[in-house]
Amino acid sequence: MKKLLLASVAIFGFAGAAAAADLPSRYAPPPMVAAIPVFTWTGFYVGVNAGYGWNTSNNNNAFYNGVGYYGSNSNDGGFVGGGQVGYNYQMGQFVLGLETDIQYADIGGGNNNYAFNGIYGGNGGSDGYFGTVRARAGFAIDRALIYVTGGFAYGDVGTTASNFGYSSNSSTNTGWVLGGGVEYAFTNNLTAKIEGLYVNLGSKNDYGYAGVAPIAVYDYSKKDNEFGVIRAGLNYKFSSY
């Protein structure tokens, strides 16, 4: 009888353990942790910039007034500002991109010149513009990007002449641009940069004429449109994920 009772208790014990194993777990599942997206420079962006530009060449002006020639030279600088739009593509730590910008440039400069017989002439400052279409190549260190840039440039930033009654000088020149900079992403969408550019737009010729011989005055002005730019910019990068 004792053996039968012990056997019954054992059978019921195994059955209870098996039933308990089939019950759902009383412990909560581990919490799901959302993956933090890794920052990437890939994507389109648009922004604004402002800085300073300075002419790195001379304005070479010559006047002939029937008696002799007179000339003057000057270097000038001023405010530069505008906007940009571009696209970057990141591969590992390397970043390739394309950017275009358009700038207001108050770096035309001005001169006051006197011919030998006291006839006065002046070259007025030009509130001009320039733009670029540039490739960018950089190396990313997390949210910092060090890059070089270069490409096509165009604009009209030469000195304007209004000398002696007649002048012809307004034109848009084309050329090239080289530079580099550092950009940092404060958030996944907001970046800031400091950039330096050297722009070469070739030469610009100004002509003026007034009077009749032998006291006619001829004005010829040639300016090499080469200038440097240092500027700070702010970009909004559209998310690429």
Side-chain angles (χ1 to χ4, degrees):
M1 190 66 178
K2 182 188 281 188
K3 292 181 179 179
L4 181 60
L5 183 59
L6 290 174
S8 300
V9 171
I11 292 172
F12 282 115
F14 285 123
D22 293 334
L23 293 175
S25 174
R26 297 180 181 179
Y27 298 99
M32 296 293 293
V33 179
I36 300 175
V38 177
F39 176 77
T40 176
W41 287 94
T42 298
F44 288 96
Y45 62 89
V46 62
V48 295
N49 68 78
Y52 182 81
W54 65 96
N55 197 326
T56 61
S57 61
N58 289 329
N59 305 326
N60 301 310
N61 304 299
F63 297 88
Y64 175 72
N65 63 357
V67 178
Y69 289 94
Y70 176 82
S72 70
N73 298 316
S74 69
N75 293 313
D76 309 285
F79 173 79
V80 172
Q84 66 272 350
V85 61
Y87 179 81
N88 289 320
Y89 183 74
Q90 184 168 353
M91 301 169 290
Q93 287 185 274
F94 295 97
V95 178
L96 298 178
L98 184 66
E99 180 176 292
T100 182
D101 61 18
I102 186 72
Q103 306 288 130
Y104 167 83
D106 183 18
I107 56 177
N111 310 303
N112 292 322
N113 308 293
Y114 292 89
F116 281 176
N117 63 358
I119 297 178
Y120 169 81
N123 286 348
S126 171
D127 294 339
Y129 77 96
F130 74 94
T132 69
V133 180
R134 295 173 285 109
R136 300 205 315 170
F139 185 79
I141 306 173
D142 192 19
R143 291 178 175 267
L145 177 65
I146 304 171
Y147 65 90
V148 294
T149 184
F152 174 76
Y154 61 94
D156 180 9
V157 295
T159 301
T160 60
S162 57
N163 302 319
F164 313 114
Y166 170 79
S167 67
S168 175
N169 57 8
S170 180
S171 64
T172 297
N173 286 19
T174 60
W176 51 271
V177 56
L178 288 176
V182 178
E183 191 167 358
Y184 185 81
F186 293 98
T187 71
N188 288 342
N189 301 103
L190 190 63
T191 72
K193 68 176 181 179
I194 297 177
E195 184 175 67
L197 298 175
Y198 173 79
V199 185
N200 187 313
L201 297 179
S203 298
K204 183 173 184 178
N205 300 323
D206 299 334
Y207 302 93
Y209 169 81
V212 294
I215 60 170
V217 178
Y218 302 91
D219 171 20
Y220 170 73
S221 175
K222 179 179 180 181
K223 178 171 181 176
D224 295 326
N225 286 329
E226 304 172 35
F227 54 94
V229 174
I230 184 73
R231 62 188 182 182
L234 191 66
N235 288 325
Y236 180 85
K237 186 180 80 69
F238 299 95
S239 298
S240 58
Y241 46 80

